[in-house]
Amino acid sequence: MTIADVVFAWLGVGALVAAVLPRVVAGRPVSLPVVFLVSGVVVYALPLPLPVVDPVEHRLVTEHVTEVCVIIALMGAGLALNRPVGRRLWASTWRLLGITMLLTVVATAVVAWWLLEWPPAAALLLAAVLAPTDPVLASEVRVGEPTEEKHDEDEVRFALTSEAGLNDGLAFPLTYAAIALAAAAGSGWSAEWIGTWAAHDVAYKSVVGVLGGLLIGKLLGWLFFRTRSSVLRLADHREGFVALGATFLAYGVTELAGGYGFLAVFTTACAVRAAERAHGFHNVLHDFVEQVERLLTAVLLFLLGAFIALGGLAPLTWRGAATGLLLLLVVRPLAGWAGLLGGRLRGWERWVVAGYGIRGIGSLYYLAYALGQQDFAVAERELWAVVTFTVLVSVVLHGVTAGPVVSRLDRRRPAPPPEPGEKRGDETARVEEAPRPAVGPAAGDG
């Protein structure tokens, strides 16, 4: 028996479990991510000849595998949204991005600097890494499959899905700020980097990311639905793997142009949806992406559990654990509540959106990427321990509570207006109808 044989066996088991498990856990206070994370811990605690999982030693592999998982999840999130992009229709999203995310970053950086006594660059890096909500692990609070209706998404699911789709790209400028700050600290503290960072890493890369996604999305929308050639009109052939082609095309081309590929992928998905909202091909694309995402999520969370079982949390101090808990239980909920003040969300719905800022695969990607660019004067394993602990708590806490909480919100929402003839209890709903035209001679005719 070799390590490869064991790996193949576990991959087979994992794929089958990933197919069955969503139906098993449906309606129960447990989620698919929790099961695979715990499975990784349990399996690696057994005396089996398994490969060592170490994101510090295998940083580049970790970076690229998590990168692929995130961009596929971003495509799935964009394809699932029915609501057209707009200032008012996406008002909750803009609040979460413009207010909540910035408050979260500032508060987390201050906590890390004060409680962990880390240098400013490392504190900012931790805040940037943990700022974005995760499109991969938020299945319980995401919108469902694409539909023809533009306004059938409840505000809670829509806000969390659209936020997760966009703030993964917006976390990149903050990560670059931490990298630039670390470089400036090593050369004697200079503020000269701020102008270059604002012009290039914030403005240029973001604009290229959005425009690149729009252009590629419109091109693909025309190719999928409107080209006169039946051979090239891919929507007629209903092949789901086309979604992977769109994902990698948008990401790769935009990155080659110097923009943010994460923004481009989500924008591409939204543009493809806008090209022909009522076509069933969107469901084909979404279902395929969701299946690939589920497999990658299962593998990555299993490996994260393995890393924990092999001592990944050993460098974690009580201060590091407290930092992660403060982010999840205090900073994000309060920042989310403040950002949504004055918006359309009220009461418990506002608190649910504020509290369910799930941390996950995106945080692992950003950390792996940043550590390959610059030294942050903090032990890498300590950084990994704090981020891993935060993701672990988020996966368990949010995974166990999301289903019951969202189900309770659904029950508390007012029922939709009854259809004509629909029975409510013992009565039949009555709907006023327009007067019918008279049959036969009108009054006054001879």
Side-chain angles (χ1 to χ4, degrees):
M1 180 175 64
T2 65
I3 292 180
D5 296 331
V6 176
V7 170
F8 283 129
W10 279 111
L11 285 174
V13 171
L16 293 173
V17 171
V20 174
L21 202 57
R23 298 165 185 82
V24 175
V25 302
R28 293 178 171 84
V30 67
S31 67
L32 186 71
V34 173
V35 173
F36 279 103
L37 183 62
V38 173
S39 298
V41 175
V42 172
V43 169
Y44 265 78
L46 300 175
L48 296 173
L50 295 169
V52 175
V53 177
D54 189 347
V56 179
E57 293 293 327
H58 307 108
R59 186 202 62 78
L60 195 60
V61 174
T62 302
E63 176 187 334
H64 290 310
V65 173
T66 52
E67 181 180 26
V68 170
C69 188
V70 171
I71 62 175
I72 289 175
L74 290 172
M75 176 60 68
L79 289 173
L81 292 172
N82 302 317
R83 194 178 301 186
V85 179
R87 182 176 64 85
R88 293 185 177 179
L89 291 176
W90 286 47
S92 298
T93 310
W94 309 136
R95 289 172 172 272
L96 290 169
L97 296 175
I99 302 174
T100 297
M101 188 174 180
L102 292 180
L103 290 176
T104 302
V105 169
V106 172
T108 305
V110 170
V111 169
W113 172 75
W114 170 71
L115 188 59
L116 294 173
E117 299 181 348
W118 284 0
L124 179 57
L125 174 66
L126 184 68
V129 163
L130 294 175
T133 55
D134 199 83
V136 181
L137 305 181
S139 58
E140 286 80 7
V141 291
R142 284 195 325 203
V143 298
E145 295 184 348
T147 67
E148 297 181 13
E149 297 298 326
K150 297 180 180 180
H151 305 288
D152 66 346
E153 299 154 333
D154 69 84
E155 194 67 21
V156 170
R157 289 184 174 89
F158 173 80
L160 289 169
T161 304
S162 55
E163 179 200 13
L166 284 171
N167 69 5
D168 262 296
L170 296 178
F172 242 130
L174 301 170
T175 304
Y176 278 122
I179 293 171
L181 184 59
S187 59
W189 289 104
S190 170
E192 295 180 358
W193 61 272
I194 296 178
T196 302
W197 168 78
H200 185 261
D201 296 330
V202 178
Y204 175 78
K205 284 178 171 287
S206 298
V207 170
V208 172
V210 173
L211 291 181
L214 284 174
L215 291 174
I216 294 172
K218 288 183 178 296
L219 174 62
L220 291 177
W222 171 81
L223 185 65
F224 291 170
F225 305 109
R226 295 176 181 166
T227 180
R228 294 182 178 179
S229 171
S230 60
V231 175
L232 296 177
R233 195 166 53 248
L234 296 177
D236 294 346
H237 305 290
R238 306 182 70 82
E239 294 172 325
F241 69 86
V242 169
L244 290 183
T247 302
F248 295 138
L249 177 67
Y251 188 77
V253 170
T254 305
E255 287 288 326
L256 287 173
Y260 289 129
F262 283 2
L263 279 177
V265 170
F266 184 75
T267 307
T268 295
C270 292
V272 169
R273 280 289 282 130
E276 184 60 61
R277 292 191 178 276
H279 202 288
F281 188 50
H282 293 301
N283 294 84
V284 176
L285 297 175
H286 177 267
D287 290 347
F288 184 86
V289 167
E290 187 178 40
Q291 291 171 7
V292 175
E293 176 191 336
R294 193 189 307 169
L295 284 173
L296 288 175
T297 302
V299 171
L300 286 173
L301 288 176
F302 182 88
L303 294 176
L304 184 64
F307 175 58
I308 294 171
L310 294 174
L313 296 181
L316 183 70
T317 64
W318 72 267
R319 296 174 183 270
T323 300
L325 292 174
L326 282 172
L327 166 66
L328 296 174
L329 302 178
V330 179
V331 172
R332 162 67 193 206
L334 291 180
W337 184 84
L340 294 170
L341 276 176
R344 65 180 64 184
L345 287 165
R346 296 286 189 273
W348 281 107
E349 289 191 335
R350 181 189 298 167
W351 280 113
V352 170
V353 174
Y356 278 86
I358 300 175
R359 271 59 189 171
I361 306 302
S363 297
L364 305 180
Y365 166 75
Y366 279 114
L367 182 59
Y369 176 84
L371 291 178
Q373 305 297 314
Q374 190 67 44
D375 176 50
F376 288 87
V378 171
E380 290 187 6
R381 293 194 179 277
E382 185 178 357
L383 271 165
W384 272 105
V386 174
V387 173
T388 299
F389 174 79
T390 307
V391 172
L392 169 65
V393 175
S394 179
V395 168
V396 175
L397 175 65
H398 295 136
V400 169
T401 62
V405 167
V406 173
S407 296
R408 185 176 180 182
L409 276 181
D410 290 341
R411 290 194 299 270
R412 294 178 62 176
R413 288 193 184 95
E419 297 292 333
E422 178 187 354
K423 291 186 177 181
R424 291 282 177 88
D426 296 330
E427 299 181 359
T428 300
R430 299 178 180 177
V431 180
E432 294 184 3
E433 298 181 359
R436 295 181 181 179
V439 178
D445 286 354

